[in-house]
Amino acid sequence: MKAVTPGETKLHSTAKKKRGFWATFKEQKVLYGMSIPFIIVVFIFSYMPVWGWLMAFQNYRPGKGILEQKWVGFDHFVALFSDEKFYQVMRNTLAMSFMGLIVGFTVPILFAVLLNEIRGSVFKRTVQTISYLPHFVSWVVVAGIVTKMLAVEGGAVNQLLMGLGFTDSPISFMSKGSWFWTIVTSAELWKTMGWNAIIYLAAITGIDQEQFEAAKVDGANRIRQIWHITLPSIAPTVAILLIMSIGHLISIGFEKQFLLGNPLVVDYSEVLDLYALNYGLGMGRFSFGTAIGMFNSLVSILLLLLANGAFKKFAKQSIM
Amino acid sequence: MARSTVFKPTLGDRIFDIANYTFMIVVLIVTLYPFLNVLAISLNDSVDTVRGGIYIWPREFTLENYVQIFQYEGLLTGAKISVLRTLVGTLLGLISGSMLGYVLSRTEFQGRKFISVFLALTMYFSGGLIPGFILIRDLNLMNTFLVYVIPGMVSAFNVFVIRSFIDGLPYSLQESAKLDGANDFTIYYKIILPLCKPVLATIALFLAVGQWNSWLDTYLYNGQSPHLTTLQFELMKVLSSTQGTGGSAAAVAQGNMAELVKQVSPEAIKMAITIVVTVPILLVYPFLQKYFVKGMTLGAVKS
């Protein structure tokens, strides 16, 4: 291989481009040395599992190599789509995704816009600093806190509701399925609102102050200033973040559902990943669990491409 | 400030302000109250707590709950492993992120394009839960400490954030070092790393919080190894044991600790553990605040 190089290095003008791969490789060996170990790690832990998707078309039995397994074609997908449970799980996943998207997307914008309107800078900074706080706390802790606040006996929410006369007896939030989606959405909002607002606050800070002055001269009140200046100015940021969250729409994970759920509300709490976990690991049906996960990934990618396509059409801009 | 002096606020503006301040105060209360309540209960006598009515101040102050929880081996081991994984995981994440970020910032590097795409792709797909699990099992990483720090070592997002930071540094520094005969690693180590401190501080915060807060890897891979338990996992076991629930978690996760919590007053003990798990995060967070706001906007703008 080294034989290629001497002839080529002679040509001075094209030397840089036409130099052999191995000659450059030798010259850049330190750079290769600094990257190859990590590339191997990424290959093993991010790419190899995709190879594992083959399991979805097999009857995977532990102890045999992946190519020695019995092939069953699309059997697991047929079984998946004819499982009634699948539709319930899909409903739960979509419901919580959309609620999370709508609430988790609009409220931080509203919060950022309103926080920007606060004049006292000390108060403003205090609110902002404290609003990040829950973002740094684990879901385990948040789930514990939510359970505590919603408790039937002595839970703050029930005490408040009873104190204000909205209800006579405490509501058992955690054991009623009908409350579960609301609880998950609220818990997520509590955890992420302040943090997700950071980016909008940064975008708002970049707006030219003269625009507001001009609007005032024209007699625009605060609400109209927000509507006509602040919101249009942050619209591009909003659009990009919206597309990114659509791409993650159904891959909402299962941490929240796992930690906040219980057998009483399982009809409302089980989401795709949890379903895959229970079947795949809990019952040892690895292939079936893989099929569920694969379905999840494919839908996610499809959604991302669709959202990106739509965005391209409207904004003539791509995020990918 | 010119805004408020030149123009007299109208009545509408004043109503807006009052509503806005009220909203912000509600946000403050809703965010802070749960933490204060948990803290108060953890510092209150556990028998007295059962009577209810503890809000943000303990009624019968005691440290007994904390003394109690630290008598469990699970919690001590958990604390040790949590600290260890946070240190090792953060360090490995910083090394991999900064090295790859540096390598990718070198425009003449011929593997640059390939590595960029190779990393970027990992942000859009994942193999999923079950294949990931089987891989870890086949690699014999189950019931090892390594499973906490190796699989997630490289984050494409962090690499790209660091690279764009390095791209913003003056190239002349690297060039003069190269003329002095420094090799690529020396340039990285002596010149790039010290200049990257601000971005590395941000990334370190994200990595450390992520490591400290994760429990799922313990649950999936090390649930059977009491010597590899983490604080978050111990807390999860305790919380799910008295909820009477936890779904499939309960089956795997019933430890001694959980049993004991059932016997003693669970409430105060649970809250004390919650505080122990949360406090380290709350301690580092004010110091690193200025970094993460910067890092967050940097990352978002570039991606």
Side-chain angles (χ1 to χ4, degrees):
Chain A
M1 302 221 173
K2 275 177 199 163
V4 188
T5 47
E8 282 182 346
T9 37
K10 270 183 216 157
L11 301 163
H12 211 77
S13 58
T14 49
K16 269 214 164 126
K17 278 201 171 163
K18 287 223 170 158
R19 270 239 313 262
F21 175 83
W22 292 106
T24 323
F25 181 87
K26 257 177 98 180
E27 196 182 291
Q28 299 180 338
K29 61 180 186 295
V30 178
L31 293 177
Y32 276 103
M34 286 170 75
S35 47
I36 286 174
F38 302 117
I39 295 308
I40 293 172
V41 170
V42 174
F43 177 76
I44 293 174
F45 293 103
S46 297
Y47 283 83
M48 296 259 285
V50 180
W51 173 246
W53 278 6
L54 286 179
M55 279 192 299
F57 306 100
Q58 303 171 327
N59 256 338
Y60 181 82
R61 295 269 170 277
K64 275 197 284 184
I66 197 144
L67 293 173
E68 299 154 23
Q69 305 283 344
K70 193 178 156 212
W71 294 88
V72 295
F74 285 90
D75 282 9
H76 292 296
F77 289 93
V78 174
L80 176 65
F81 295 131
S82 52
D83 184 4
E84 251 172 66
K85 186 107 194 173
F86 169 73
Y87 295 96
Q88 190 187 54
V89 167
M90 215 43 217
R91 177 202 67 182
N92 296 341
T93 311
L94 288 175
M96 280 181 266
S97 308
F98 275 105
M99 285 169 77
L101 183 68
I102 292 164
V103 177
F105 197 74
T106 50
V107 179
I109 298 176
L110 185 77
F111 176 66
V113 168
L114 290 178
L115 189 62
N116 184 57
E117 296 294 324
I118 297 278
R119 293 212 186 94
S121 68
V122 177
F123 183 68
K124 190 172 169 177
R125 227 177 309 131
T126 313
V127 174
Q128 210 191 344
T129 306
I130 288 173
S131 72
Y132 304 149
L133 198 67
H135 173 79
F136 291 93
V137 173
S138 70
W139 266 111
V140 180
V141 169
V142 173
I145 285 177
V146 168
T147 313
K148 171 94 193 79
M149 291 298 127
L150 296 177
V152 174
E153 277 174 51
V157 174
N158 269 319
Q159 283 180 333
L160 188 71
L161 290 178
M162 279 156 68
L164 294 173
F166 286 122
T167 170
D168 298 328
S169 55
I171 302 167
S172 50
F173 289 104
M174 298 308 287
S175 51
K176 286 227 179 68
S178 51
W179 278 104
F180 190 78
W181 297 346
T182 316
I183 292 171
V184 166
T185 310
S186 318
E188 181 152 33
L189 182 66
W190 184 78
K191 192 175 190 300
T192 58
M193 182 181 78
W195 182 256
N196 289 346
I198 291 182
I199 195 137
Y200 301 114
L201 278 166
I204 293 172
T205 319
I207 302 174
D208 185 3
Q209 286 301 315
E210 272 177 34
Q211 291 190 43
F212 290 104
E213 300 295 337
K216 265 186 207 162
V217 175
D218 293 344
N221 65 19
R222 301 279 283 283
I223 309 269
R224 294 189 61 175
Q225 287 173 35
I226 290 174
W227 188 254
H228 291 291
I229 303 171
T230 314
L231 289 178
S233 306
I234 61 171
T237 314
V238 172
I240 291 174
L241 292 182
L242 183 64
I243 290 167
M244 287 166 68
S245 21
I246 289 173
H248 295 288
L249 199 60
I250 77 160
S251 39
I252 50 173
F254 61 97
E255 255 192 297
K256 306 173 271 261
Q257 288 78 12
F258 184 100
L259 293 165
L260 286 165
N262 60 60
L264 294 172
V265 299
V266 71
D267 285 350
Y268 294 87
S269 68
E270 195 162 20
V271 289
L272 270 177
D273 275 338
L274 210 48
Y275 180 58
L277 185 76
N278 287 342
Y279 272 87
L281 298 186
M283 301 184 196
R285 294 175 62 183
F286 295 108
S287 289
F288 190 66
T290 307
I292 301 170
M294 198 173 149
F295 171 78
N296 194 343
S297 291
L298 292 179
V299 174
S300 294
I301 292 173
L302 198 69
L303 283 173
L304 185 71
L305 291 176
L306 278 176
N308 193 48
F311 185 61
K312 245 186 200 162
K313 216 168 175 186
F314 289 122
K316 301 202 165 38
Q317 200 177 344
S318 158
I319 57 152
M320 280 161 74
Chain B
M1 281 303 105
R3 277 171 80 177
S4 42
T5 46
V6 177
F7 302 97
K8 238 180 104 189
T10 63
L11 179 68
D13 281 350
R14 241 179 262 149
I15 294 173
F16 177 87
D17 273 336
I18 292 168
N20 198 7
Y21 273 88
T22 315
F23 173 72
M24 291 303 158
I25 288 167
V26 171
V27 169
L28 279 187
I29 294 172
V30 170
T31 311
L32 282 181
Y33 177 77
F35 290 111
L36 296 174
N37 187 231
V38 169
L39 184 64
I41 292 173
S42 77
L43 291 170
N44 196 59
D45 180 71
S46 61
V47 181
D48 177 67
T49 299
V50 182
R51 280 171 47 213
I54 309 283
Y55 300 104
I56 60 169
W57 207 252
R59 192 164 43 214
E60 285 182 32
F61 182 85
T62 174
L63 288 174
E64 187 53 33
N65 301 321
Y66 289 94
V67 175
Q68 284 258 342
I69 60 171
F70 274 108
Q71 280 166 6
Y72 302 114
E73 201 133 327
L75 203 72
L76 289 172
T77 318
K80 201 180 75 194
I81 297 292
S82 282
V83 169
L84 204 62
R85 70 173 290 176
T86 303
L87 290 177
V88 176
T90 306
L91 198 66
L92 283 177
L94 285 178
I95 294 172
S96 65
S98 59
M99 280 201 186
L100 285 173
Y102 165 70
V103 166
L104 291 182
S105 77
R106 294 287 298 266
T107 43
E108 78 278 18
F109 177 48
Q110 59 182 349
R112 187 169 180 251
K113 186 105 201 186
F114 171 77
I115 294 177
S116 291
V117 175
F118 188 78
L119 287 177
L121 280 177
T122 63
M123 301 206 290
Y124 295 106
F125 71 87
S126 89
L129 213 57
I130 311 294
F133 178 86
I134 289 180
L135 178 74
I136 298 285
R137 201 196 53 195
D138 290 350
L139 292 172
N140 284 323
L141 285 174
M142 297 274 284
N143 302 310
T144 63
F145 178 78
L146 290 179
V147 82
Y148 294 142
V149 294
I150 300 291
M153 184 166 82
V154 181
S155 144
F157 182 79
N158 292 349
V159 170
F160 293 134
V161 169
I162 295 173
R163 186 198 51 193
S164 58
F165 186 88
I166 297 176
D167 282 344
L169 297 173
Y171 188 68
S172 53
L173 289 170
Q174 289 195 42
E175 201 132 39
S176 59
K178 219 182 279 177
L179 289 176
D180 290 345
N183 78 17
D184 292 324
F185 184 78
T186 319
I187 296 174
Y188 158 78
Y189 188 72
K190 289 260 169 74
I191 297 174
I192 300 297
L193 265 194
L195 288 172
C196 280
K197 256 184 216 152
V199 71
L200 293 182
T202 314
I203 304 272
L205 174 76
F206 292 147
L207 290 169
V209 170
Q211 282 286 348
W212 182 264
N213 281 346
S214 63
W215 59 277
L216 193 62
D217 43 15
T218 317
Y219 170 77
L220 287 175
Y221 308 123
N222 288 345
Q224 324 286 346
S225 301
H227 66 287
L228 290 170
T229 190
T230 52
L231 277 184
Q232 301 287 347
F233 186 59
E234 289 298 312
L235 177 65
M236 190 214 87
K237 286 197 292 189
V238 169
L239 290 176
S240 61
S241 73
T242 35
Q243 252 166 281
T245 58
S248 49
V252 193
Q254 299 287 0
N256 309 336
M257 181 91 185
E259 280 305 310
L260 227 128
V261 167
K262 262 187 212 160
Q263 295 158 22
V264 195
S265 157
E267 206 57 30
I269 299 280
K270 276 201 266 181
M271 297 304 126
I273 300 176
T274 306
I275 294 293
V276 168
V277 168
T278 314
V279 155
I281 295 269
L282 302 189
L283 287 182
V284 294
Y285 146 91
F287 298 104
L288 290 160
Q289 234 223 98
K290 63 170 181 179
Y291 288 123
F292 70 66
V293 176
K294 227 183 271 165
M296 176 83 180
T297 34
L298 176 74
V301 169
K302 293 291 175 182
S303 70

